[in-house]
Amino acid sequence: MKLSNAIKSTLLAPIFGVLALGAASTSAVASTTTATMGVTATVQATCIVSATPMGFGTYISTAASTSTSAITVTCTNSTTYTLGLDAGLNGGTVTTRQMKNGTALLNYALFSDSGRTTNWGNTTGSWVSGTGNGSGQAITVYGQAAAGQYVTPGAYSDSITATVTY
């Protein structure tokens, strides 16, 4: 009996030793190290533009007809821009734009101020300037079809291109 207890002790002691050593070496080996990772990006200046339609309603030649539209410009923060409006599709100029019905023309003008005194064109001095803030900036366009135009009855239209330069 003593022999078998001695054998058991002899066999179990190395096993427990290995287990204890393994447990000790696991906690002794656990360590950490760190590194930093650089992260970069280049933000490119960008702008987008959208516009609401301008409707003059029913034009009566004895009175001027006025209307407004909103052009929304969204540019990256601190991006400077200019907003110009072209002459339209019907052969007018930026000072005398024209809506068309067949061959008949109805003159109108677009302005950057509510008093309708500052013509809005697409060249230096006639465009509107701004600085982006990352959100949409609504800019009002003021339109007027002058009184005294005795044109053919019907539906007139034109299309204006708004150009943002940044």
Side-chain angles (χ1 to χ4, degrees):
M1 205 69 168
K2 286 188 175 186
L3 184 57
S4 97
N5 283 339
I7 292 173
K8 287 180 188 176
S9 295
T10 306
L11 291 175
L12 291 176
I15 292 172
F16 286 126
V18 168
L19 290 174
L21 183 60
S25 67
T26 301
S27 63
V29 178
S31 59
T32 61
T33 186
T34 62
T36 59
M37 175 180 68
V39 179
T40 64
T42 301
V43 176
Q44 183 175 347
T46 188
C47 294
I48 57 173
V49 63
S50 63
T52 62
M54 178 180 287
F56 284 102
T58 301
Y59 175 79
I60 301 170
S61 58
T62 57
S65 182
T66 61
S67 186
T68 60
S69 173
I71 297 177
T72 302
V73 178
T74 306
C75 292
T76 48
N77 193 27
S78 76
T79 300
T80 57
Y81 65 88
T82 59
L83 174 60
L85 302 178
D86 75 355
L89 297 178
N90 297 317
T93 66
V94 293
T95 55
T96 306
R97 292 172 169 93
Q98 298 176 321
M99 290 182 272
K100 196 171 193 178
N101 173 16
T103 58
L105 298 171
L106 177 62
N107 295 330
Y108 71 101
L110 299 177
F111 303 95
S112 59
D113 64 313
S114 61
R116 292 174 171 80
T117 58
T118 305
N119 183 65
W120 195 334
N122 58 359
T123 59
T124 303
S126 69
W127 55 47
V128 172
S129 299
T131 302
N133 62 9
S135 297
Q137 298 172 312
I139 303 165
T140 303
V141 181
Y142 301 91
Q144 180 173 311
Q149 300 181 70
Y150 294 91
V151 297
T152 305
Y156 288 74
S157 65
D158 192 15
S159 183
I160 299 294
T161 299
T163 301
V164 175
T165 304
Y166 58 97

